[in-house]
Each structure stands twice: as C-alpha cells, then as structure tokens.
Amino acid sequence: MEAPQEPGKPAKRPNILIREMEIDDLAAVFHLGEKLFTARESPNLYRTWDEYDVVELYQSDPEFCLVAQADGRLIGFALGTTIEKAGSAWKYGHLVWLGVAPDFQRRGLAARLFRQLKELMIEDGVRILMVDTEADNLSALHFFRRMGFGKPEEHIYLSLNLSLQRSLLKDRKKNHGPANHKPDYGHD
C-alpha cells in the first residue's frame, strides 16, 4: 500500500520507460486498446481494434511497436508500419494505433511515444508519415497538428451489413444444396 501524499507536496512522478514491444506485452496492449477504443468513444475504431491487428503489426514490424511502462505497468503504446510502393523510391510510414491509459493522458506521454516512433521511422528511411483519425476526434486532430501533421485529407468510409445476405445464403444452401446455389444480392 502506498503512503499517503503529504499536503502541499506534489505527487511523485513515476519513472516512465519507452521501449520496443515484446511478445509478452501483446495481451496488455490489446486489453489497454479495448479500454481506449470503445464503441461509445470511437464507433469506427471499435470495429477494427482486435487482437489479430496487434499481433500482425508486432509480427511484421516489431521495431515500430513501442510500449510505455511505469512501475511495471503498461500505460501506453504506439504501433506503426512502413509501406513501400512498387515503382516509387519513397517509403511511407503509418502510425496505426496510439493509446495512453486514461490516468496518464495529458502528461505528454503520447507525444513521447510519437516522437520516438517518428525517429525510428526517419532512421529507417521513411519520407512521409501518415496517420488517420475520425473527422470529429478534435483532441486527436489537435494533437497531430501539434506533432507537425498538416494537409488533412477527408476520407469517407461506407459500410454494408452482410448479416441478412449471409443468413439468406445459409438458408439457400441448406434447402437447395451448393450445386444449385445462385446468389441473389437484392439487385438486378
């Protein structure tokens, strides 16, 4: 149990270590992301935050997967990747996920994680670093502008719920067998 803080004295700031993510960090990163990227706070991000994405980024680009740790507790992460296009001499970086535990937000930790990731990408030859966020996530937009990002480009995401078509497909296969199956997608 921690000793109570003396009145008038500032709270002790924990020593924060930023390091490359290790395999043993995967579960903690995923669970912190589950707390941060909820359907209520970020409806679009909720659908894409999953353990497979975390594992895939770790397996493909471990050098661009960073974690922040304080007193043995994982309190933040930055997960990135690089992209090389055929026929282009340019190498692109993409900050895919950046998250900080709520009790450590607004203390400069996201900026520290970002700067360290940016430095690693520069050392790796990245010429353009990209990030995306929801258009109405004003705190993220403000943060990324402070980090030097500019020229926001608007993206439009469309979705199609395939639950009904999936159910109809299963029923058709069950009633008619796969050989007689002709898809009907609800249009001519």
Side-chain angles (χ1 to χ4, degrees):
M1 182 169 173
E2 261 183 44
Q5 181 182 332
E6 290 182 42
K9 284 195 173 186
K12 180 185 168 198
R13 295 190 69 151
N15 184 25
I16 297 174
L17 170 69
I18 296 177
R19 61 174 174 77
E20 196 172 296
M21 189 166 91
E22 299 171 355
I23 195 162
D24 291 339
D25 298 318
L26 288 171
V29 167
F30 173 70
H31 291 303
L32 178 55
E34 278 185 314
K35 292 176 187 170
L36 298 172
F37 307 123
T38 65
R40 180 182 173 124
E41 298 298 320
S42 306
N44 291 337
L45 294 178
Y46 175 77
R47 286 193 230 31
T48 59
W49 178 257
D50 63 43
E51 65 271 19
Y52 302 109
D53 199 24
V54 176
V55 170
E56 183 179 328
L57 286 165
Y58 176 72
Q59 288 179 333
S60 65
D61 292 293
E63 66 275 22
F64 301 120
C65 295
L66 303 175
V67 295
Q69 192 173 13
D71 299 325
R73 175 182 159 217
L74 191 132
I75 58 168
F77 57 85
L79 306 177
T81 190
T82 58
I83 303 159
E84 294 185 66
K85 294 185 177 185
S88 172
W90 287 42
K91 188 175 196 176
Y92 299 86
H94 183 200
L95 171 58
V96 183
W97 296 104
L98 178 63
V100 174
D103 54 326
F104 282 86
Q105 291 178 1
R106 309 228 183 283
R107 296 187 188 185
L109 182 55
R112 285 181 59 196
L113 282 161
F114 171 75
R115 286 186 193 112
Q116 191 160 332
L117 181 69
K118 180 176 81 169
E119 187 176 305
L120 291 169
M121 291 208 171
I122 290 169
E123 289 171 2
D124 196 54
V126 168
R127 294 184 66 181
I128 294 180
L129 180 56
M130 300 175 292
V131 66
D132 59 88
T133 188
E134 293 179 342
D136 63 351
N137 189 341
L138 299 180
S139 62
L141 290 170
H142 179 71
F143 171 80
F144 289 123
R145 284 189 183 112
R146 277 193 353 256
M147 296 298 108
F149 285 88
K151 296 186 179 184
E153 299 288 331
E154 190 170 328
H155 294 280
I156 297 175
Y157 294 92
L158 303 173
S159 63
L160 173 62
N161 186 334
L162 298 177
S163 299
L164 179 60
Q165 286 88 353
R166 191 170 148 184
S167 175
L168 291 171
L169 180 65
K170 283 182 182 178
D171 288 345
R172 277 197 197 100
K173 284 184 177 183
K174 188 167 89 175
N175 295 331
H176 302 292
N180 298 328
H181 171 67
K182 292 183 181 174
D184 176 12
Y185 298 110
H187 59 79
D188 295 321

